[in-house]
Amino acid sequence: MDTQKYTNKDINEIANLVLARLNNNTGFFNSYYKKTEDILRNYNRMKKSIELLENTLLELKKEKEKIASTIVKSNKVVLKEKDLNYYYTDETLENRINELKQLIIKGRAELRFIDSCLSELEKDRYFDILKFWYMEGKTREWISEELDCDVRTITRNRKRLINELSYLLFPQNIIDKMSS
């Protein structure tokens, strides 16, 4: 895999955006239904983002090993990358490694929670609608042919499954509905 296309800043922005959306810190959503749809649409991006963060973490750990194996007269070390100089002290490099570890841990925890909620719906006859529609971007027509049913059945069951999933992902949704 070629991670050279993404800078650390790009990877962090992707991870933070997805995590913020999962945690509803951005105000993008106006309902639990929309939040659930957004989580499913970003599911694959989140996985990719965590993978990129893990690769970056490995690279930084290798850099740290190189720094530790050289004798440094000052507390600053210059790492050269494509004609750019990056200055790290041992402490800031360690801080960056720890930040990445925390992002990865948080992202993995979010994915595990989403996976556990999805697994509650896996036995549903129309569960694959969610995967095809949100994670693979297939059309209703394609899905109806694949599942051998009417397009209206796809629409109706997609909405039903999103509602069910939203209750699993956001238990406060139930409380909100009961109190309104």
Side-chain angles (χ1 to χ4, degrees):
M1 175 176 53
D2 184 21
T3 59
Q4 299 301 328
K5 294 184 233 176
Y6 300 99
T7 65
N8 286 343
K9 184 179 177 185
D10 294 335
I11 293 167
N12 285 336
E13 285 178 14
I14 293 167
N16 288 328
L17 177 64
V18 174
L19 286 172
R21 285 185 176 181
L22 289 173
N23 290 320
N24 192 23
N25 292 333
T26 60
F28 275 71
F29 311 112
N30 56 11
S31 74
Y32 296 113
Y33 185 93
K34 294 270 186 215
K35 291 177 194 177
T36 303
E37 286 188 307
D38 204 47
I39 285 169
L40 291 176
R41 282 188 191 104
N42 287 296
Y43 181 83
N44 290 331
R45 287 183 190 106
M46 180 68 170
K47 284 179 119 173
K48 181 68 173 175
S49 179
I50 291 170
E51 184 181 315
L52 292 171
L53 286 169
E54 290 169 337
N55 290 339
T56 301
L57 180 62
L58 290 174
E59 290 171 15
L60 286 177
K61 284 181 176 181
K62 287 177 187 174
E63 290 296 333
K64 185 179 176 194
E65 288 174 16
K66 287 180 190 174
I67 292 170
S69 66
T70 61
I71 299 171
V72 181
K73 291 186 180 179
S74 73
N75 67 344
K76 286 189 177 177
V77 177
V78 178
L79 303 176
K80 294 190 182 232
E81 185 176 319
K82 293 184 181 177
D83 300 328
L84 298 173
N85 292 328
Y86 296 98
Y87 294 91
Y88 287 110
T89 63
D90 290 336
E91 185 179 317
T92 58
L93 184 57
E94 186 64 36
N95 289 343
R96 183 70 184 130
I97 288 170
N98 288 330
E99 288 172 7
L100 287 176
K101 284 179 182 178
Q102 290 303 310
L103 275 173
I104 291 166
I105 289 168
K106 209 171 169 185
R108 284 181 185 161
E110 293 287 350
L111 282 176
R112 275 193 306 275
F113 178 67
I114 294 165
D115 288 340
S116 70
C117 292
L118 286 169
S119 71
E120 291 292 317
L121 301 175
E122 278 180 337
K123 292 181 182 170
D124 190 289
R125 177 176 179 218
Y126 296 103
F127 175 76
D128 285 341
I129 292 171
L130 297 178
K131 179 180 70 169
F132 292 144
W133 182 268
Y134 293 101
M135 297 174 191
E136 296 179 15
K138 303 294 184 188
T139 64
R140 288 182 304 169
E141 292 76 17
W142 186 93
I143 298 168
S144 69
E145 286 179 27
E146 185 72 18
L147 299 180
D148 194 30
C149 60
D150 189 70
V151 172
R152 289 174 293 178
T153 302
I154 299 302
T155 301
R156 183 177 58 252
N157 282 287
R158 178 181 58 85
K159 289 178 180 178
R160 177 184 59 79
L161 288 165
I162 289 296
N163 277 321
E164 288 181 32
L165 185 58
S166 74
Y167 288 119
L168 295 170
L169 289 170
F170 306 101
Q172 67 270 25
N173 189 3
I174 298 169
I175 296 167
D176 290 350
K177 288 213 183 224
M178 289 172 56
S179 64
S180 57

PDB file of all heavy atoms in Angstrom, residues 104-120:
ATOM      1  N   ILE A 104      -5.828   5.874  17.339  1.00  0.00           N
ATOM      2  CA  ILE A 104      -6.049   4.509  16.865  1.00  0.00           C
ATOM      3  C   ILE A 104      -6.936   3.746  17.850  1.00  0.00           C
ATOM      4  O   ILE A 104      -7.892   3.070  17.445  1.00  0.00           O
ATOM      5  CB  ILE A 104      -4.700   3.790  16.637  1.00  0.00           C
ATOM      6  CG1 ILE A 104      -3.967   4.413  15.447  1.00  0.00           C
ATOM      7  CG2 ILE A 104      -4.908   2.286  16.435  1.00  0.00           C
ATOM      8  CD1 ILE A 104      -2.506   4.017  15.322  1.00  0.00           C
ATOM      9  N   ILE A 105      -6.644   3.864  19.126  1.00  0.00           N
ATOM     10  CA  ILE A 105      -7.442   3.175  20.146  1.00  0.00           C
ATOM     11  C   ILE A 105      -8.891   3.652  20.094  1.00  0.00           C
ATOM     12  O   ILE A 105      -9.831   2.850  20.116  1.00  0.00           O
ATOM     13  CB  ILE A 105      -6.835   3.392  21.557  1.00  0.00           C
ATOM     14  CG1 ILE A 105      -5.524   2.619  21.679  1.00  0.00           C
ATOM     15  CG2 ILE A 105      -7.817   2.999  22.653  1.00  0.00           C
ATOM     16  CD1 ILE A 105      -4.696   2.990  22.895  1.00  0.00           C
ATOM     17  N   LYS A 106      -9.075   4.962  20.010  1.00  0.00           N
ATOM     18  CA  LYS A 106     -10.420   5.538  19.948  1.00  0.00           C
ATOM     19  C   LYS A 106     -11.162   5.068  18.687  1.00  0.00           C
ATOM     20  O   LYS A 106     -12.324   4.677  18.752  1.00  0.00           O
ATOM     21  CB  LYS A 106     -10.288   7.064  19.946  1.00  0.00           C
ATOM     22  CG  LYS A 106     -11.417   7.810  20.535  1.00  0.00           C
ATOM     23  CD  LYS A 106     -11.006   9.280  20.648  1.00  0.00           C
ATOM     24  CE  LYS A 106     -12.175  10.138  20.979  1.00  0.00           C
ATOM     25  NZ  LYS A 106     -11.839  11.554  20.984  1.00  0.00           N
ATOM     26  N   GLY A 107     -10.474   5.104  17.573  1.00  0.00           N
ATOM     27  CA  GLY A 107     -11.077   4.672  16.312  1.00  0.00           C
ATOM     28  C   GLY A 107     -11.456   3.205  16.319  1.00  0.00           C
ATOM     29  O   GLY A 107     -12.545   2.830  15.876  1.00  0.00           O
ATOM     30  N   ARG A 108     -10.559   2.370  16.828  1.00  0.00           N
ATOM     31  CA  ARG A 108     -10.862   0.929  16.916  1.00  0.00           C
ATOM     32  C   ARG A 108     -12.055   0.676  17.824  1.00  0.00           C
ATOM     33  O   ARG A 108     -12.897  -0.177  17.534  1.00  0.00           O
ATOM     34  CB  ARG A 108      -9.655   0.162  17.438  1.00  0.00           C
ATOM     35  CG  ARG A 108      -8.560  -0.033  16.434  1.00  0.00           C
ATOM     36  CD  ARG A 108      -7.447  -0.814  17.079  1.00  0.00           C
ATOM     37  NE  ARG A 108      -6.299  -0.942  16.212  1.00  0.00           N
ATOM     38  CZ  ARG A 108      -5.086  -1.257  16.646  1.00  0.00           C
ATOM     39  NH1 ARG A 108      -4.879  -1.473  17.924  1.00  0.00           N
ATOM     40  NH2 ARG A 108      -4.090  -1.353  15.808  1.00  0.00           N
ATOM     41  N   ALA A 109     -12.131   1.396  18.937  1.00  0.00           N
ATOM     42  CA  ALA A 109     -13.257   1.232  19.872  1.00  0.00           C
ATOM     43  C   ALA A 109     -14.567   1.610  19.187  1.00  0.00           C
ATOM     44  O   ALA A 109     -15.579   0.910  19.332  1.00  0.00           O
ATOM     45  CB  ALA A 109     -13.036   2.078  21.122  1.00  0.00           C
ATOM     46  N   GLU A 110     -14.557   2.710  18.439  1.00  0.00           N
ATOM     47  CA  GLU A 110     -15.755   3.126  17.710  1.00  0.00           C
ATOM     48  C   GLU A 110     -16.162   2.067  16.688  1.00  0.00           C
ATOM     49  O   GLU A 110     -17.343   1.723  16.569  1.00  0.00           O
ATOM     50  CB  GLU A 110     -15.535   4.473  17.007  1.00  0.00           C
ATOM     51  CG  GLU A 110     -15.361   5.642  17.935  1.00  0.00           C
ATOM     52  CD  GLU A 110     -16.640   6.079  18.620  1.00  0.00           C
ATOM     53  OE1 GLU A 110     -17.734   5.616  18.253  1.00  0.00           O
ATOM     54  OE2 GLU A 110     -16.538   6.898  19.549  1.00  0.00           O
ATOM     55  N   LEU A 111     -15.184   1.542  15.955  1.00  0.00           N
ATOM     56  CA  LEU A 111     -15.494   0.504  14.964  1.00  0.00           C
ATOM     57  C   LEU A 111     -16.043  -0.756  15.621  1.00  0.00           C
ATOM     58  O   LEU A 111     -16.982  -1.371  15.104  1.00  0.00           O
ATOM     59  CB  LEU A 111     -14.257   0.163  14.131  1.00  0.00           C
ATOM     60  CG  LEU A 111     -13.898   1.148  13.030  1.00  0.00           C
ATOM     61  CD1 LEU A 111     -12.599   0.735  12.351  1.00  0.00           C
ATOM     62  CD2 LEU A 111     -15.006   1.272  12.006  1.00  0.00           C
ATOM     63  N   ARG A 112     -15.465  -1.147  16.756  1.00  0.00           N
ATOM     64  CA  ARG A 112     -15.983  -2.329  17.466  1.00  0.00           C
ATOM     65  C   ARG A 112     -17.427  -2.125  17.887  1.00  0.00           C
ATOM     66  O   ARG A 112     -18.250  -3.033  17.772  1.00  0.00           O
ATOM     67  CB  ARG A 112     -15.117  -2.654  18.694  1.00  0.00           C
ATOM     68  CG  ARG A 112     -13.914  -3.508  18.378  1.00  0.00           C
ATOM     69  CD  ARG A 112     -13.265  -4.063  19.635  1.00  0.00           C
ATOM     70  NE  ARG A 112     -12.922  -3.051  20.618  1.00  0.00           N
ATOM     71  CZ  ARG A 112     -11.792  -2.343  20.621  1.00  0.00           C
ATOM     72  NH1 ARG A 112     -10.888  -2.553  19.695  1.00  0.00           N
ATOM     73  NH2 ARG A 112     -11.560  -1.449  21.554  1.00  0.00           N
ATOM     74  N   PHE A 113     -17.749  -0.931  18.377  1.00  0.00           N
ATOM     75  CA  PHE A 113     -19.117  -0.637  18.794  1.00  0.00           C
ATOM     76  C   PHE A 113     -20.066  -0.687  17.595  1.00  0.00           C
ATOM     77  O   PHE A 113     -21.137  -1.295  17.658  1.00  0.00           O
ATOM     78  CB  PHE A 113     -19.189   0.729  19.491  1.00  0.00           C
ATOM     79  CG  PHE A 113     -20.584   1.101  19.888  1.00  0.00           C
ATOM     80  CD1 PHE A 113     -21.255   0.390  20.866  1.00  0.00           C
ATOM     81  CD2 PHE A 113     -21.228   2.162  19.278  1.00  0.00           C
ATOM     82  CE1 PHE A 113     -22.554   0.718  21.230  1.00  0.00           C
ATOM     83  CE2 PHE A 113     -22.521   2.501  19.629  1.00  0.00           C
ATOM     84  CZ  PHE A 113     -23.193   1.782  20.613  1.00  0.00           C
ATOM     85  N   ILE A 114     -19.653  -0.075  16.497  1.00  0.00           N
ATOM     86  CA  ILE A 114     -20.482  -0.096  15.282  1.00  0.00           C
ATOM     87  C   ILE A 114     -20.670  -1.538  14.810  1.00  0.00           C
ATOM     88  O   ILE A 114     -21.783  -1.957  14.482  1.00  0.00           O
ATOM     89  CB  ILE A 114     -19.854   0.767  14.164  1.00  0.00           C
ATOM     90  CG1 ILE A 114     -19.856   2.236  14.583  1.00  0.00           C
ATOM     91  CG2 ILE A 114     -20.579   0.573  12.839  1.00  0.00           C
ATOM     92  CD1 ILE A 114     -18.960   3.122  13.742  1.00  0.00           C
ATOM     93  N   ASP A 115     -19.582  -2.305  14.790  1.00  0.00           N
ATOM     94  CA  ASP A 115     -19.666  -3.712  14.376  1.00  0.00           C
ATOM     95  C   ASP A 115     -20.613  -4.508  15.267  1.00  0.00           C
ATOM     96  O   ASP A 115     -21.384  -5.339  14.786  1.00  0.00           O
ATOM     97  CB  ASP A 115     -18.288  -4.365  14.370  1.00  0.00           C
ATOM     98  CG  ASP A 115     -17.404  -3.881  13.226  1.00  0.00           C
ATOM     99  OD1 ASP A 115     -17.942  -3.347  12.237  1.00  0.00           O
ATOM    100  OD2 ASP A 115     -16.174  -4.032  13.337  1.00  0.00           O
ATOM    101  N   SER A 116     -20.550  -4.261  16.570  1.00  0.00           N
ATOM    102  CA  SER A 116     -21.432  -5.008  17.474  1.00  0.00           C
ATOM    103  C   SER A 116     -22.891  -4.630  17.241  1.00  0.00           C
ATOM    104  O   SER A 116     -23.770  -5.494  17.301  1.00  0.00           O
ATOM    105  CB  SER A 116     -21.036  -4.803  18.933  1.00  0.00           C
ATOM    106  OG  SER A 116     -21.315  -3.497  19.359  1.00  0.00           O
ATOM    107  N   CYS A 117     -23.163  -3.374  16.952  1.00  0.00           N
ATOM    108  CA  CYS A 117     -24.535  -2.954  16.636  1.00  0.00           C
ATOM    109  C   CYS A 117     -25.001  -3.571  15.323  1.00  0.00           C
ATOM    110  O   CYS A 117     -26.136  -4.050  15.223  1.00  0.00           O
ATOM    111  CB  CYS A 117     -24.631  -1.434  16.574  1.00  0.00           C
ATOM    112  SG  CYS A 117     -24.413  -0.616  18.173  1.00  0.00           S
ATOM    113  N   LEU A 118     -24.129  -3.570  14.329  1.00  0.00           N
ATOM    114  CA  LEU A 118     -24.475  -4.183  13.045  1.00  0.00           C
ATOM    115  C   LEU A 118     -24.723  -5.677  13.184  1.00  0.00           C
ATOM    116  O   LEU A 118     -25.621  -6.230  12.554  1.00  0.00           O
ATOM    117  CB  LEU A 118     -23.372  -3.928  12.010  1.00  0.00           C
ATOM    118  CG  LEU A 118     -23.294  -2.513  11.447  1.00  0.00           C
ATOM    119  CD1 LEU A 118     -22.001  -2.331  10.650  1.00  0.00           C
ATOM    120  CD2 LEU A 118     -24.509  -2.198  10.589  1.00  0.00           C
ATOM    121  N   SER A 119     -23.949  -6.331  14.039  1.00  0.00           N
ATOM    122  CA  SER A 119     -24.105  -7.779  14.202  1.00  0.00           C
ATOM    123  C   SER A 119     -25.476  -8.141  14.784  1.00  0.00           C
ATOM    124  O   SER A 119     -25.973  -9.243  14.560  1.00  0.00           O
ATOM    125  CB  SER A 119     -22.982  -8.367  15.045  1.00  0.00           C
ATOM    126  OG  SER A 119     -23.110  -7.981  16.386  1.00  0.00           O
ATOM    127  N   GLU A 120     -26.083  -7.207  15.510  1.00  0.00           N
ATOM    128  CA  GLU A 120     -27.428  -7.440  16.043  1.00  0.00           C
ATOM    129  C   GLU A 120     -28.466  -7.546  14.928  1.00  0.00           C
ATOM    130  O   GLU A 120     -29.528  -8.135  15.122  1.00  0.00           O
ATOM    131  CB  GLU A 120     -27.835  -6.313  17.004  1.00  0.00           C
ATOM    132  CG  GLU A 120     -27.062  -6.305  18.292  1.00  0.00           C
ATOM    133  CD  GLU A 120     -27.377  -7.500  19.171  1.00  0.00           C
ATOM    134  OE1 GLU A 120     -28.562  -7.859  19.303  1.00  0.00           O
ATOM    135  OE2 GLU A 120     -26.418  -8.080  19.722  1.00  0.00           O
TER     136      GLU A 120
END
